[in-house]
Structure formats: structure tokens, C-alpha cells
Amino acid sequence: MSVEPVSLMGGKSVYCINEVQLNSAFDLAESDSDAGLKIRETVKKLEKELTRNERASVAFVLINHLQHGDS
């Protein structure tokens, strides 16, 4: 059974990520550091093992946890 992709466009805005935050995230992920390596390896694994919708769900859950201080 095939699942239709969920559109990530449309609807009201829930999260606001500014350009500085986004650039800092990419800088860390692309850095030559242990953190950068862990981030790149984790993203590669998620992209290999999860569907697009599953990856989007993980992204939103993580952002929500960061926003609300959840573990």
C-alpha cells in the first residue's frame, strides 16, 4: 500500500526559524568537528531509512521538543 506524500506547504505558520538560526545550523552540520560528523551521519542514516513523510515528522517533532524543552 502506497502512502501519498503529505504537503509541507500551506496552512498557518507554526514555527519561525530565522536566517541566522538556519545558517548556524548548516555551519555546525558542515563543520569539521565531532558534532558536524555526528549530524551528517545521522542525517544520512535518516535519509536512507525513512520516507520523506517520516523525515518531515522527525524534523517537526524535534523542533517542537526544542521549542518546549522536552527531552
Side-chain angles (χ1 to χ4, degrees), residues 8-65:
L8 300 179
M9 306 304 286
K12 70 178 187 173
S13 180
V14 178
Y15 301 112
C16 180
I17 300 169
N18 70 44
E19 189 174 8
V20 172
Q21 292 169 312
L22 186 61
N23 289 337
S24 293
F26 279 108
D27 288 345
L28 180 59
E30 295 168 357
S31 71
D32 185 23
S33 67
D34 289 341
L37 180 60
K38 285 194 298 188
I39 293 166
R40 289 189 304 277
E41 287 177 348
T42 301
V43 169
K44 186 175 182 178
K45 181 180 179 190
L46 291 173
E47 288 179 337
K48 181 180 178 185
E49 296 180 5
L50 301 179
T51 66
R52 178 182 180 275
N53 287 345
E54 291 166 340
R55 293 189 318 264
S57 179
V58 168
F60 289 130
V61 167
L62 288 173
I63 290 169
N64 186 270
H65 286 190

